[in-house]
């Protein structure tokens, strides 16, 4: 039994959706969660800058909290910071959100037409496109960046007319592509699930 905590991080509230799932699955584990609300949103920032933030927070979790495992509960950070690199530097296992999401998505689809929505940084990184091409090359993938969603969530606005109007516009490509499965490729988006 290793009673050191599990470390998790995100740019803000988003990763709490992942923390919730971990708490449900592993109620006996202790968690240390960092939400980098001083520097969110990560989505519009250059990848190298986000990678730097990920290294800094991972260092804090490992050195100051002695975590036994790191969960990168942020798609933008997981797309910017190679998980193998984090594992090597910090000598703890590192779990991301991209590959597990892709595996669930390709298991769920019936039509083979799937969509991923995420921040500008995540979608522009090509991380989902590469993972889908590797894991399920036969599925037809439509990706859409959703700038603005994270800011609504951080403001606590998940159902106003304004967020609905934005969602109508940003989700149009996924609707036009007739996807039967849409992956919320940003950990903030489950807060908008009803609107989406
Ligand atoms: N929740 C994060 C993600 O999964 C990042 C949101 C942001 O700060 O832009 O990508």
């Amino acid at each position: 039994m290793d009673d050191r905590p599990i470390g998790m991080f995100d740019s803000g509230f988003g990763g709490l959706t992942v923390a919730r799932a971990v708490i449900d699955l592993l109620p006996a584990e202790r968690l240390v969660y960092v939400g980098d609300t001083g520097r969110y949103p990560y989505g519009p920032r250059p990848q190298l800058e986000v990678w730097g933030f990920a290294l800094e927070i991972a260092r804090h979790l490992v050195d100051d909290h002695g975590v036994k495992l790191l969960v990168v509960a942020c798609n933008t950070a997981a797309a910017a910071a190679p998980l193998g690199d984090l594992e090597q530097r910090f000598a703890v296992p590192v779990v991301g959100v991209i590959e597990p999401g892709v595996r669930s998505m390709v298991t769920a689809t019936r039509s083979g037409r799937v969509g991923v929505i995420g921040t500008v940084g995540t979608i522009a990184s090509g991380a989902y496109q590469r993972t889908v091409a590797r894991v399920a090359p036969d599925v037809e993938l439509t990706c859409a960046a959703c700038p603005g969603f994270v800011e609504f969530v951080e403001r606590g606005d998940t159902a106003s007319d304004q967020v609905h109007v934005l969602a109508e516009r940003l989700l149009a490509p996924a609707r036009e592509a007739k996807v039967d499965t849409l992956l919320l490729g940003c950990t903030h988006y489950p807060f908008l699930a009803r609107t989406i």
Side-chain angles (χ1 to χ4, degrees):
M1 182 68 194
D2 181 345
D3 63 2
R4 290 175 299 163
I6 295 173
M8 312 183 64
F9 68 93
D10 177 49
S11 64
F13 291 143
L16 292 175
T17 58
V18 182
R20 175 75 260 166
V22 173
I23 291 165
D24 290 345
L25 281 168
L26 304 168
E29 294 291 340
R30 289 189 299 131
L31 300 186
V32 179
Y33 181 87
V34 174
D36 192 4
T37 49
R39 298 185 294 200
Y40 98 95
Y42 282 5
R45 294 179 183 272
Q47 272 196 298
L48 266 180
E49 187 178 26
V50 174
W51 187 355
F53 294 165
L55 289 176
E56 200 180 321
I57 298 170
R59 164 76 55 213
H60 165 67
L61 288 166
V62 170
D63 288 356
D64 302 334
H65 293 279
V67 301
K68 63 182 168 192
L69 166 80
L70 278 170
V71 180
V72 182
C74 174
N75 291 260
T76 311
L83 303 185
D85 172 74
L86 293 178
E87 261 175 358
Q88 272 193 343
R89 283 176 200 252
F90 299 109
V92 290
V94 177
V95 179
V97 280
I98 294 177
E99 182 149 347
V102 166
R103 291 196 182 278
S104 307
M105 173 175 71
V106 301
T107 304
T109 184
R110 290 290 159 264
S111 69
R113 279 191 301 275
V114 299
V116 174
I117 56 173
T119 66
V120 169
T122 298
I123 301 302
S125 74
Y128 272 103
Q129 295 87 328
R130 283 193 299 277
T131 307
V132 168
R134 178 167 49 80
V135 170
D138 295 334
V139 306
E140 195 183 306
L141 172 67
T142 299
C143 288
C146 296
F149 274 7
V150 167
E151 289 85 340
F152 273 106
V153 170
E154 289 284 331
R155 284 198 297 269
D157 176 356
T158 55
S160 66
D161 287 349
Q162 287 90 332
V163 73
H164 271 95
V165 168
L166 183 64
E168 281 280 348
R169 182 162 62 75
L170 296 175
L171 298 173
R175 205 148 54 178
E176 277 155 25
K178 297 197 173 10
V179 302
D180 76 347
T181 306
L182 182 69
L183 175 63
L184 308 185
C186 169
T187 55
H188 279 72
Y189 296 177
F191 290 111
L192 294 171
R194 291 182 72 85
T195 296
I196 291 168

